[in-house]
Amino acid sequence: MRLESTLNGNTSANTSENARTHTFENPHPEPRTPTPRPGGRSARVRAEVVAATLAEVAEKGYDGLTVEAVATRSGVHKATLYRRWTGVDGLVADALTASADQSWPLPDTGDLREDLRRITREVFTVFTDPDLGATPTALILAAQRSDAGAAALRAFFTARHRQAAEVSERAVARGELPAGTDGAEVVRAATAPLYYRLFVTGEPLDAHTAERAADAAALAARAGLFTTAPPADPAPTANPAPTANPGPRKAS
Amino acid sequence: MRLESTLNGNTSANTSENARTHTFENPHPEPRTPTPRPGGRSARVRAEVVAATLAEVAEKGYDGLTVEAVATRSGVHKATLYRRWTGVDGLVADALTASADQSWPLPDTGDLREDLRRITREVFTVFTDPDLGATPTALILAAQRSDAGAAALRAFFTARHRQAAEVSERAVARGELPAGTDGAEVVRAATAPLYYRLFVTGEPLDAHTAERAADAAALAARAGLFTTAPPADPAPTANPAPTANPGPRKAS
DNA sequence: CTCGTAACGCGACTAAAGTCGCATTACGAT
DNA sequence: ATCGTAATGCGACTTTAGTCGCGTTACGAG
């Protein structure tokens, strides 16, 4: 009985391996836990596959991404890709996980609104530039397609928001924001309108919109809307009125 | 030579039909334009297929949606589904287009912040309720997967934002907001943080966040951030500083 | 009502995605 | 260095998605 071990960053990718193992009817189960071999060839294979996935996604978009093409480009056999990464979804999730380790500089202008403007301008610049934006766009779209991808995306953004919270922490220290401000929420408020257009509504995004989103977030933060205390207003009433829903509805 | 005609709401779905026609090498081209037959059986087929698509999406999610299953559930042959709707993407786009015709009531409390709170609370309620939210969630995710779906999604949200702009128009008339406020932008600002969590970052969404998003949008609107005039600040400098990008990056 | 043909159903078929059993390679522990 | 076996490559194979040619049904125009 052959057991594939769990490799770094690929816990989800080995699910089908475990599942296959469990379906093998061995009347004498071997309780021994296999020792992972994450180094050498395995590490090289992963690096080659991640690189090939990113290249394929950048070139063909998420919809054109196939296991066959990644196999060809990476020189890794497709059986390995299916075994270790389950399929396209696992490849995307792993590529995203690999991208999450990138460090990135935070703006520090001494003014919160300007910091936020720089953040939103960068998001705008990257995602509206065909060359810069192809890979991240495709990765986000691809990641949404599966539980594994969505989990990797959540981890990615959660970490990014936590890091970017520093711009608000500095503003608090400067006395620009009230103590107890949730810095990650400030960054979310600033970037959400951009990602909303880019990835939900598909409406056009311009530099002015990016700037305005930052300004609105800064204004709200200064007004104390993002303090971790609950709002001063009473809780919603127990009888919500019929309201508008801008989302799609199930057809009757 | 058989030509399939363009049907209501299915212009994208007939692309492959036209493409097939064009690839047929007929030395004597027939210049006659076929007369569409959108009524009777064709209308019944469309209704059955849209209903089946919505049911399948609600039950199995966007990832479990297959042409085969829609064909089985609707009783329409899969060859027809491929011919008329091209595939899963066309089915989703059409289901979304069919959903877009639903009318929906707007809140009118006499107070902008409360109106926006009701809108965001409704979005929150629908998308966090497993029963109410399954279909719209799956439709949005599925629509993002193709150009046709994305176009339908854009049309859907653009129309919704335009309609919801009425809450701001009323606020302007009440003297609550400055003249020239872009009402659609106000609604976008209110709802974007919700959809960002739901569909981009996958982070949890609670009622407090929904409420706060409405409050921040109302605050910014009252401050005049959404007037259609450009901002009073000078344009961005010609030399942008290196800034943070909270999106994924291409691995080096 | 008739008629031309758009739209559809069908089964056979092709293409693409994914799996399996076997042999080989190479990673860690000793 | 040796050894057990994790990880991989391979080709054949299965499953699922999508296509094609033909005959049938039924929609509008006249």
Side-chain angles (χ1 to χ4, degrees):
Chain A
M1 177 158 69
R2 213 172 13 93
L3 294 178
E4 298 286 352
S5 63
T6 300
L7 299 176
N8 285 339
N10 286 302
T11 49
S12 60
N14 285 334
T15 303
S16 66
E17 291 291 328
N18 295 334
R20 188 168 61 164
T21 305
H22 293 156
T23 58
F24 181 67
E25 296 192 355
N26 182 357
H28 308 292
E30 185 71 33
R32 187 179 59 91
T33 303
T35 306
R37 304 186 188 175
R41 184 178 64 168
S42 289
R44 270 198 317 279
V45 163
R46 188 198 176 200
E48 279 153 10
V49 168
V50 165
T53 301
L54 289 169
E56 283 292 314
V57 152
E59 194 172 296
K60 299 178 187 170
Y62 72 92
D63 218 41
L65 183 65
T66 63
V67 170
E68 188 82 50
V70 172
T72 300
R73 186 182 281 252
S74 63
V76 175
H77 198 270
K78 76 168 174 171
T80 296
L81 299 190
Y82 280 111
R83 264 197 305 251
R84 193 164 157 187
W85 281 278
T86 306
V88 162
D89 296 337
L91 292 173
V92 168
D94 202 27
L96 197 51
T97 302
S99 301
D101 297 332
Q102 303 270 333
S103 64
W104 48 289
L106 279 175
D108 188 359
T109 64
D111 176 65
L112 174 72
R113 195 177 73 159
E114 189 57 35
D115 280 349
L116 294 179
R117 275 182 168 190
R118 291 202 176 171
I119 290 176
T120 61
R121 191 185 305 143
E122 176 77 4
V123 173
F124 165 73
T125 300
V126 166
F127 284 100
T128 53
D129 182 287
D131 294 328
L132 296 175
T135 301
T137 298
L139 272 184
I140 290 174
L141 291 173
Q144 291 168 337
R145 286 168 54 171
S146 68
D147 291 342
L153 208 47
R154 182 168 54 249
F156 180 90
F157 274 104
T158 301
R160 277 294 197 266
H161 293 148
R162 196 183 303 121
Q163 288 171 53
E166 192 177 314
V167 300
S168 294
E169 283 153 24
R170 290 197 205 113
V172 169
R174 290 194 299 266
E176 199 178 340
L177 292 187
T181 294
D182 182 341
E185 273 303 299
V186 175
V187 173
R188 283 188 191 95
T191 54
L194 281 70
Y195 285 104
Y196 180 54
R197 282 172 179 269
L198 290 165
F199 292 104
V200 181
T201 70
E203 291 167 301
L205 172 64
D206 55 36
H208 176 44
T209 301
E211 191 167 88
R212 181 165 56 192
D215 295 350
L219 185 70
R222 287 193 182 117
L225 283 199
F226 299 113
T227 55
T228 48
D233 287 330
T237 60
N239 181 27
T243 60
N245 167 24
R249 287 205 177 168
K250 178 169 182 176
S252 312
Chain B
M1 180 161 64
R2 223 173 1 98
L3 294 179
E4 298 287 355
S5 63
T6 301
L7 298 176
N8 284 339
N10 286 302
T11 48
S12 60
N14 285 333
T15 304
S16 65
E17 290 292 327
N18 296 333
R20 187 167 65 164
T21 304
H22 293 155
T23 56
F24 181 67
E25 294 190 356
N26 183 356
H28 308 292
E30 186 70 38
R32 188 179 57 93
T33 302
T35 305
R37 305 186 188 175
R41 184 179 63 169
S42 289
R44 269 197 320 277
V45 162
R46 187 197 178 201
E48 278 154 10
V49 168
V50 165
T53 301
L54 290 169
E56 283 291 315
V57 151
E59 195 174 295
K60 300 178 184 168
Y62 72 93
D63 218 41
L65 183 65
T66 64
V67 169
E68 189 81 53
V70 171
T72 300
R73 187 183 282 253
S74 63
V76 176
H77 199 270
K78 77 167 174 173
T80 296
L81 298 191
Y82 280 112
R83 265 196 303 251
R84 192 165 157 189
W85 281 278
T86 306
V88 162
D89 296 335
L91 291 172
V92 169
D94 203 27
L96 197 49
T97 302
S99 301
D101 296 333
Q102 303 271 332
S103 64
W104 49 288
L106 281 176
D108 188 359
T109 64
D111 176 67
L112 175 71
R113 194 177 74 162
E114 189 55 36
D115 279 349
L116 293 179
R117 276 182 167 189
R118 292 205 175 168
I119 291 177
T120 60
R121 190 185 305 142
E122 176 76 3
V123 173
F124 165 74
T125 300
V126 167
F127 284 100
T128 53
D129 182 288
D131 293 328
L132 295 176
T135 300
T137 298
L139 272 183
I140 290 174
L141 291 173
Q144 290 170 339
R145 285 168 56 171
S146 69
D147 292 342
L153 209 46
R154 183 167 54 250
F156 180 90
F157 275 105
T158 302
R160 278 293 197 267
H161 293 149
R162 196 181 305 122
Q163 289 170 53
E166 193 176 316
V167 300
S168 294
E169 283 153 25
R170 290 197 206 110
V172 169
R174 290 193 299 266
E176 200 179 338
L177 291 186
T181 294
D182 181 341
E185 273 303 300
V186 175
V187 173
R188 283 188 191 95
T191 54
L194 280 69
Y195 285 103
Y196 179 55
R197 284 172 177 268
L198 288 166
F199 293 105
V200 181
T201 70
E203 292 167 301
L205 172 64
D206 56 37
H208 175 46
T209 301
E211 191 167 87
R212 181 165 55 192
D215 294 352
L219 185 70
R222 286 193 183 117
L225 283 199
F226 299 113
T227 55
T228 48
D233 285 331
T237 60
N239 181 29
T243 59
N245 166 25
R249 289 205 176 166
K250 180 168 182 177
S252 314

